[in-house]
Amino acid sequence: GILYPLQSFTKGKKVEMDEVPFLIESEDEGTLQKLKKLAKTISPLVYQVRSRDRKAVHVAAVFGSNFTNHMIRIAEEIMQRQGLDFEMLKPL
């Protein structure tokens, strides 16, 4: 079976585990139920997925997380080139 937390973990950054989605997968019904029970002790956000769907979710999460970080870096560079304070954009 697979128990997959859909979360980036960063050293020193606290994660509220009850807000982390957990994806579970198993071809065996008994294992699936054990994974579901375990995951629910950590977070109420538990999703049963197939391998291909888990891979799609992972790719979507990589784009959603990393692309956003990249775009923020570009915004910071634009502000620096213009001599503007990047802090101005933080509320966005």
Side-chain angles (χ1 to χ4, degrees), residues 16-77:
E16 297 295 332
M17 294 304 288
D18 62 342
E19 296 176 6
V20 174
F22 280 80
L23 284 56
I24 58 172
E25 177 185 352
S26 180
E27 293 180 11
D28 174 72
E29 186 60 32
T31 301
L32 185 64
Q33 292 309 314
K34 288 176 185 175
L35 287 171
K36 184 181 280 186
K37 185 176 180 180
L38 173 61
K40 290 243 181 223
T41 67
I42 304 168
S43 171
L45 307 172
V46 178
Y47 301 91
Q48 182 181 342
V49 295
R50 299 171 293 190
S51 285
R52 72 172 191 249
D53 294 333
R54 184 172 43 83
K55 290 174 187 173
V57 170
H58 178 80
V59 169
V62 167
F63 273 93
S65 177
N66 294 334
F67 188 68
T68 301
N69 291 336
H70 180 64
M71 296 302 285
I72 289 170
R73 180 67 188 127
I74 291 172
E76 185 176 30
E77 289 173 5

